[in-house]
Amino acid sequence: RAERFVDGSPRPAEENKKIVHFQRHGQGYHNLIYTMMAEHGSPVLDIYNTDPMLNPFVRDELCDAPLTSLGRDQCLEKRQLANSLNPELIVVSPLHRAVQTAQLTFADFIGDVRFVAHDLCREELGLLKCNKRRPLSESLREFPHVDFSLTSGEEDTLWQPDERESPLAKSKRIYSFLADYIQHRPEKEIAVVGHSAYFFNMCNAVLDCGDDDDIQKWFSTSEIRSLVLTFDDAVE
């Protein structure tokens, strides 16, 4: 179950409760191009269209799309808010825009709090090149303070060019991330930096949010949404 964490509230004492601060990445180049095409009268009508002339998300140039200058500024604007939080662990999607977001927003935690990249919290797998991870060696060079041991290795073996991850498969991956990883971490307060479609699925198909529209709505770029998660006994 999920409910809003009220600023200034103490950490819940119950063993089955955790505070999790979910942050969507700042504007990426794929987001910028999507917006520009709409502004110039050629909106992307189907993001799963495989024609790169109609859908920039499948273009090789947007592989693992990084943050734009605006996206970086959006993340920096959240730095003061991040500094009011107390995460004991920062978990990031291994896609560069998410790691860059964590690096900018939670900059003052680097060196004191562990940063971990995890494949289970990355964006929808398959088809869209913007969601294909760059080689691990590149990420290790660019983000030496991040632990990438929970990713799939040098090449992105999880991303398939002709097969889009189904909503059900994504929901199961999100459930596994929360129930098998987050639930069993010793930390009581955690930050998770990831992606909009992932978080929308999480808040509308995986978590019981009690019909709270503020929790279930789409995340804006660089938004931080703090929740108290209650882990009940898993139902098989």
Side-chain angles (χ1 to χ4, degrees):
R1 300 195 310 275
E3 56 188 336
R4 278 278 190 173
F5 172 70
V6 179
D7 291 345
S9 299
R11 287 180 179 172
E14 297 91 334
E15 287 295 321
N16 67 332
K17 292 181 181 286
K18 291 183 187 291
I19 299 169
V20 184
H21 309 287
F22 294 98
Q23 183 184 22
R24 179 191 174 187
H25 62 78
Q27 184 195 60
Y29 274 96
H30 63 308
N31 303 128
L32 172 62
I33 292 175
Y34 180 90
T35 300
M36 291 176 64
M37 289 182 67
E39 290 175 346
H40 287 80
S42 299
V44 179
L45 300 177
D46 179 7
I47 65 168
Y48 301 111
N49 190 323
T50 58
D51 184 348
M53 297 301 294
L54 299 175
N55 179 16
F57 294 166
V58 299
R59 296 183 68 93
D60 290 337
E61 299 93 329
L62 284 183
C63 180
D64 201 349
L67 295 179
T68 64
S69 177
L70 173 60
R72 296 175 66 86
D73 289 343
Q74 291 170 335
C75 298
L76 289 171
E77 288 172 1
K78 293 295 190 291
R79 187 169 174 177
Q80 183 175 355
L81 172 58
N83 286 343
S84 71
L85 310 177
N86 297 287
E88 302 164 279
L89 176 71
I90 297 170
V91 186
V92 301
S93 157
L95 298 182
H96 276 214
R97 58 190 180 271
V99 187
Q100 288 174 315
T101 295
Q103 182 174 257
L104 293 167
T105 298
F106 293 93
D108 294 308
F109 294 85
I110 295 174
D112 296 320
V113 174
R114 187 179 173 212
F115 284 64
V116 178
H118 203 304
D119 273 333
L120 289 179
C121 68
R122 60 184 288 184
E123 189 57 296
E124 179 179 296
L125 301 170
L127 188 61
L128 306 182
K129 287 289 181 68
C130 57
N131 295 338
K132 180 182 180 182
R133 178 174 59 77
R134 299 186 196 186
L136 180 59
S137 54
E138 290 186 27
S139 299
L140 291 172
R141 285 196 301 270
E142 189 163 343
F143 310 109
H145 63 282
V146 178
D147 177 359
F148 285 91
S149 62
L150 296 178
T151 62
S152 57
E154 174 65 10
E155 299 301 329
D156 187 359
T157 57
L158 299 179
W159 186 91
Q160 300 299 319
D162 301 315
E163 182 179 355
R164 171 193 168 199
E165 184 180 32
S166 70
L168 178 58
K170 181 163 56 177
S171 294
K172 288 181 177 180
R173 184 162 58 88
I174 295 168
Y175 181 89
S176 179
F177 175 68
L178 296 174
D180 299 332
Y181 183 71
I182 295 295
Q183 178 179 198
H184 298 292
R185 292 296 311 175
E187 299 85 4
K188 293 291 289 182
E189 187 167 344
I190 297 171
V192 176
V193 183
H195 306 268
S196 56
Y198 181 98
F199 289 149
F200 188 77
N201 183 303
M202 177 186 76
C203 293
N204 289 273
V206 179
L207 293 174
D208 176 3
C209 298
D211 296 323
D212 186 328
D213 292 340
D214 285 338
I215 295 178
Q216 294 176 308
K217 66 184 180 182
W218 195 263
F219 275 64
S220 58
T221 46
S222 79
E223 177 186 351
I224 298 174
R225 195 174 300 175
S226 298
L227 304 178
V228 176
L229 301 187
T230 301
F231 295 93
D232 296 324
D233 291 339
V235 178
E236 297 296 336

